């Protein structure tokens, strides 16, 4: 009884264990998790997974159980998308949890990572769109926006651009660093951009970004990729490396006078920043890059002893950054700004109001358009007072008096400029007329009316010498002009001004070449090989074709030379050598040397394969020659049939008459009806010359076509149908009398015409019962 109870208890325990296993297996049903049937195909499974992944991804769903649900969905898809795992589950209910998780954890995570999160061509839904909306939305770039706005703007400030995509977990990893760097660099004046590779594939391809995440910089329209670890300092250093190295000069007590005195040569104001930081601040470099066309920048490190004289002279506060701008007077700054936290807006406002000298010189059309803008309305009149003077020491006093007048009468509606008459002759002629006196200076007032060069102007009657009378006359005219604009009574059309500061052509060419090679070096050093593969493929293909052609030509030339050189036993006479040389010279221009044709000798070894068992539709064109005529006839034969070598159904061979005369005589007996040949056993049996004959042999249908050599003595009397008419026995003997190589070659003069008729199928065919053996 007790034994029976134990058996029942044991069965109950076994049943309980099996039930628990079944319940545990049934607890995770991948079909139920994805909501698909057991007969669902891979397309349905994939579609259901995408839908649930969008719904339960933790970045989109903030419910507490969303992460666990997303893990179940991913696990279910991992099982059902793999046919082997799906079969194991259908048969045994195995979900793959009993394979040693501790040993396979890293491997499975990596496989999951690679298969699900980085396959951008498979998933195209924005799982991180909510996060991107809050941080990257305002920086998103489109192709047209990049081309029309970012590229032109990159000549004033560098851009830092991030390439991202959906399902890019590495993008999530760099997000905190990116957000911190963007917040810092944007405040300094760096442009920020974000490109979504999934939605802007054209722009991503244009930038050369083929993986995500990628970070690149754009400056002056040029693209540079960031290749280091994504850290705040590395990104900051990367942006700094994009900027040119000569933007800011290091200024000390030794060179500050020379630096400030360059205002006249450069025609620019000069700016000095005083600070106690040894490296030049990045914000100052960015400002120098933005205004490099208008001002020159220098940096003074207050921590060095070599700057104490300047600090004392300009009364610099040692505890706050100070910025001074100098114009025509180097001993007194034209403007000063000082602040403990030098912000970008403060610097921009300060620089914008001091972009030009008090009386700047007109050196190019761009500067003229900015100093003297076109009138937009009656309330926005801008008058330009132009001093037209000479260059050099004799006119120094004249210019200084004009500068003093400009300093005392600065107003928003009037801009003072000057120009050298010798350098801007078109401007001088338009304002002063043809009668220009070299030693005199004049003052003209003008107003631009449109961008096409139309201006209204008036020139003061008196010569400008800088006297008080000149100053009072000019001041009185400006006062009356504000009340009555019609005082500008003259009208002219100006051409563009000469660019005085432009480098000469040779220097411009050098600068362009240096920029080009620097771009090439940058591409080679940090290239994107996928982008360069088409170019590399083209280069290697061209080299392969070039060297392949040279090698083939070399072998062809060597073969021609070997075939054309007779053996020692067959050394031709001096007369034959001279005639053959002359004939070769005559035909050099007509037949190219590259006419190489592969011609094999028909022997008893290859007779069966090259003739008897020749494939249907193929023909073997056989040239009959002797040992003495081999070199000459083969060369002529190759020249005549070269244009027909493109046909794969034609094969070319030669037969030695000295070895196989009986075989040829046997074949020619079947051609007696169309072209009678002398009986073979007459008295001239061994004297008949068949060299130059050509036979087109069809091994499968057992017929041949015959080309008979042209007689060199009676060629003019023979018919054009060389394959029908044949010479008599005497004529055959006469043909052999022509011993020169040139006469031998002439036997094949009409072979090319015969070949054309052979391909047309219009030649007469001579059938034979069977092919004789070649003994």
């Amino acid at each position: 009884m007790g034994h029976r109870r134990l058996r029942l208890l044991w069965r109950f325990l076994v049943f309980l264990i099996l039930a628990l296993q079944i319940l545990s297996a049934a607890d995770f049903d991948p079909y139920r998790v994805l909501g698909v049937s057991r007969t669902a195909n891979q397309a349905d499974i994939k579609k259901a997974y995408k839908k649930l992944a969008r719904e339960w991804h933790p970045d989109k769903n903030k419910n507490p159980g969303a992460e666990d649900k997303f893990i179940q969905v991913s696990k279910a898809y991992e099982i059902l998308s793999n046919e082997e795992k799906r079969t194991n589950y259908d048969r045994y209910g195995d979900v793959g949890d009993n394979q040693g998780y501790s040993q396979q954890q890293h491997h499975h995570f990596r496989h999951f990572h690679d298969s699900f999160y980085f396959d951008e061509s498979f998933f195209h839904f924005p799982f991180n769109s909510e996060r991107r909306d809050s941080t990257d939305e305002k920086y998103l770039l489109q192709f047209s926006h990049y081309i029309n706005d970012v590229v032109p703007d990159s000549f004033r400030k560098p851009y830092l651009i991030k390439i991202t995509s959906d399902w890019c977990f590495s993008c999530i990893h760099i997000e905190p660093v990116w957000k911190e760097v963007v917040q810092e660099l944007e405040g300094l004046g760096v442009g920020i951009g974000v490109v979504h590779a999934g939605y802007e594939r054209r722009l991503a391809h244009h930038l050369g970004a083929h993986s995500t995440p990628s970070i690149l910089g754009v400056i002056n329209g040029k693209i540079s990729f960031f290749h280091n670890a994504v850290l705040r300092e590395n990104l900051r250093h990367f942006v700094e490396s994009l900027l040119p190295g000569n933007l800011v000069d290091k200024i000390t007590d030794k060179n500050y006078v020379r630096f400030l005195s360059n205002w006249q040569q450069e025609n620019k104001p000069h700016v000095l920043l005083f600070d106690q930081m040894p490296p030049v601040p990045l914000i100052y470099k960015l400002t120098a890059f933005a205004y490099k066309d208008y001002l020159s920048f220098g940096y003074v490190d207050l921590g060095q002893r070599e700057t104490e004289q300047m600090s004392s002279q300009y009364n610099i506060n040692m505890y706050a950054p100070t910025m001074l701008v100098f114009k025509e007077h180097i001993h007194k700054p034209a403007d000063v700004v000082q602040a403990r936290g030098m912000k970008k807006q403060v610097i921009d406002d300060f620089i914008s109001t001091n972009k030009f000298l008090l009386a700047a010189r007109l050196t190019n059309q761009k500067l003229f358009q900015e100093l003297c803008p076109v009138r937009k309305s009656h309330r926005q009149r801008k008058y330009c007072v132009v001093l037209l003077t000479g260059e050099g020491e004799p006119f120094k006093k004249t210019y200084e008096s004009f500068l003093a007048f400009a300093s005392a009468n600065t107003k928003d509606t009037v801009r003072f400029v000057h120009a050298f008459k010798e350098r801007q002759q078109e401007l001088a002629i338009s304002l002063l007329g043809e009668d220009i006196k070299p030693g005199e200076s004049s003052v003209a007032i003008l107003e631009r009316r449109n961008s096409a060069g139309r201006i209204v102007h008036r020139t003061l009657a008196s010569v400008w010498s800088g006297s008080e009378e000149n100053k009072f006359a000019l001041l009185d005219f400006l006062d009356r002009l504000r009340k009555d604009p019609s005082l500008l009574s003259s009208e002219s059309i100006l051409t563009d001004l000469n660019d005085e500061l432009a480098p000469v052509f040779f220097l411009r060419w050098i600068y362009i070449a240096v920029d080009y090679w620097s771009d090439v070096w940058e591409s080679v050093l940090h290239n994107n090989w996928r982008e360069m593969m088409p170019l590399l493929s083209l280069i290697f293909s061209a080299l392969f074709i070039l060297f392949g052609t040279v090698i083939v030509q070399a072998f062809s030339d060597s073969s021609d030379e070997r075939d054309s050189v007779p053996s020692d036993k067959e050394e031709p006479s001096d007369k034959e050598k001279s005639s053959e040389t002359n004939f070769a010279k005559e035909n050099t221009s007509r037949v190219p040397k590259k006419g190489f044709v592969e011609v094999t000798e028909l022997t008893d070894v290859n007779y069966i394969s090259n003739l008897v068992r020749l494939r249907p539709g193929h023909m073997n064109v056989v040239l009959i020659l002797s040992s003495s005529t081999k070199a000459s006839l083969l060369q002529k034969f190759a020249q005549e049939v070269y244009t027909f070598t493109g046909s794969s159904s034609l094969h070319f061979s030669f037969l030695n008459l000295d070895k196989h005369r009986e075989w040829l005589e046997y074949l020619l007996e079947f051609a007696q009806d169309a072209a009678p040949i002398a009986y073979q056993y007459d008295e001239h049996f061994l004297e008949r010359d068949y060299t130059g004959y050509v036979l087109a042999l069809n091994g499968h249908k057992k017929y041949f076509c015959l080309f008979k050599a042209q007689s060199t003595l009676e060629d003019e009397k023979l018919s054009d149908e060389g394959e029908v008419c044949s010479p008599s026995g005497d004529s055959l003997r006469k043909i052999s009398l022509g011993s020169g190589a040139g006469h031998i070659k002439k036997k094949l003069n009409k072979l090319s015409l015969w070949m054309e008729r052979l391909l047309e199928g219009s030649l007469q065919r001579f059938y034979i019962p069977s092919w004789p053996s070649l003994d």
Side-chain angles (χ1 to χ4, degrees), residues 230-341:
V230 183
L231 300 175
R232 176 177 172 272
E233 292 301 325
N234 290 345
L235 287 172
R236 184 185 175 93
H237 179 72
F238 171 67
V239 171
E240 196 167 356
S241 66
L242 295 176
L243 300 170
N246 58 349
L247 287 173
V248 182
D249 295 331
K250 295 293 184 66
I251 305 301
T252 62
D253 294 337
K254 298 180 180 179
N255 62 354
Y256 83 97
V257 176
R258 183 173 66 253
F259 172 75
L260 297 177
S261 299
N262 286 335
W263 67 267
Q264 193 167 10
Q265 180 180 358
E266 298 177 1
N267 197 36
K268 295 178 181 179
H270 285 59
V271 183
L272 288 180
L273 175 65
F274 294 80
D275 203 351
Q276 290 187 346
M277 299 178 62
V280 181
L282 179 57
I283 187 174
Y284 195 57
K285 290 184 178 181
L286 293 170
T287 303
F289 180 75
Y291 297 95
K292 60 182 180 298
D293 295 333
Y294 301 98
L295 302 99
S296 296
F297 293 82
Y299 179 72
V300 181
D301 182 8
L302 295 176
Q304 296 182 357
R305 299 187 59 181
E306 293 84 357
T307 62
E308 294 178 354
Q309 180 181 345
M310 277 190 297
S311 304
S312 176
Q313 180 177 351
Y314 299 119
N315 195 19
I316 301 300
N317 185 356
M318 302 292 292
Y319 303 101
T322 305
M323 188 174 293
L324 308 180
V325 59
F326 294 84
K327 296 185 177 180
E328 284 86 352
H329 303 289
I330 66 173
H331 300 292
K332 181 182 179 181
D335 202 354
V336 181
V337 63
Q338 188 177 63
R340 289 191 178 275

Side-chain angles (χ1 to χ4, degrees), residues 400-670:
E400 289 179 351
S401 63
F402 181 77
L403 178 60
F405 181 86
S407 303
N409 296 276
T410 54
K411 291 182 175 59
D412 295 338
T413 58
V414 180
R415 178 79 70 177
F416 293 90
V417 296
H418 74 283
F420 293 150
K421 293 186 294 184
E422 293 80 4
R423 299 191 183 186
Q424 302 294 342
Q425 295 182 4
E426 296 293 334
L427 176 64
I429 293 173
S430 299
L431 297 179
L432 303 178
E434 296 292 341
D435 188 17
I436 300 177
K437 297 181 180 180
E440 296 180 354
S441 300
S442 302
V443 172
I445 298 91
L446 64 87
E447 180 186 14
R448 293 182 62 212
R449 290 297 176 89
N450 58 30
S451 57
R454 178 172 172 264
I455 64 169
V456 291
H457 60 90
R458 176 77 175 271
T459 303
L460 296 183
S462 59
V463 176
W464 182 268
S465 61
S467 63
E468 294 298 326
E469 294 179 0
N470 292 143
K471 294 179 181 179
F472 280 119
L474 178 57
L475 183 60
D476 179 64
F477 183 83
L478 292 177
D479 289 338
R480 290 188 291 117
L481 183 62
R482 293 189 186 96
K483 301 175 183 179
D484 185 11
S486 62
L487 291 176
L488 301 181
S489 55
S490 301
E491 185 174 339
S492 300
I493 301 296
L494 288 181
T495 58
D496 290 348
L497 272 65
N498 297 328
D499 191 354
E500 301 177 10
L501 303 180
V504 297
F505 174 78
F506 180 72
L507 291 179
R508 289 202 303 269
W509 185 86
I510 292 178
Y511 294 154
I512 294 174
V514 170
D515 291 340
Y516 175 77
W517 285 112
S518 63
D519 292 342
V520 172
W521 175 252
E522 178 69 17
S523 300
V524 173
L525 188 62
H526 297 301
N527 54 44
N528 192 317
W529 291 108
R530 185 182 302 184
E531 189 76 13
M532 295 185 64
M533 280 304 295
L535 178 61
L536 295 176
S537 176
L538 178 63
I539 293 175
F540 282 112
S541 299
L543 293 176
F544 177 78
I545 294 173
L546 177 62
F547 286 104
T549 305
V550 172
I551 293 173
V552 171
Q553 182 68 34
F555 278 105
S556 301
D557 294 346
S558 62
S559 300
D560 291 343
E561 291 175 1
R562 287 197 303 269
D563 292 340
S564 62
V565 177
S567 60
D568 296 338
K569 296 180 180 180
E570 302 170 357
E571 185 72 18
S573 62
D574 295 339
K575 185 177 180 180
E576 290 176 337
K577 287 182 180 180
S578 60
S579 62
E580 185 171 355
T581 302
N582 295 332
F583 183 77
K585 290 180 180 179
E586 295 174 1
N587 287 273
T588 300
S589 59
R590 185 170 63 90
V591 181
K593 198 174 183 179
K594 66 178 181 180
F596 173 75
V597 180
E598 183 179 357
V599 184
T600 59
E601 183 177 3
L602 195 64
T603 62
D604 54 352
V605 177
N606 58 13
Y607 178 69
I608 300 298
S609 60
N610 286 2
L611 177 59
V612 179
R613 296 180 181 177
L614 203 61
R615 286 181 295 174
H618 287 244
M619 300 187 72
N620 197 335
V621 181
V622 182
L623 169 67
I624 308 301
L625 51 77
S626 61
S627 299
S628 59
T629 61
K630 179 179 179 182
S632 301
L633 285 179
L634 274 179
Q635 184 179 6
K636 179 65 175 178
F637 180 72
Q639 294 173 355
E640 292 291 329
V641 303
Y642 175 69
T643 57
F644 305 95
T645 55
S647 175
S648 59
S649 62
L650 294 180
H651 308 273
F652 301 96
S653 305
F654 69 89
L655 184 76
N656 195 322
L657 184 63
D658 299 335
K659 302 177 182 178
H660 307 291
R661 175 180 287 270
E662 294 183 4
W663 181 88
L664 178 63
E665 293 277 3
Y666 174 79
L667 252 66
L668 293 180
E669 289 182 1
F670 293 93

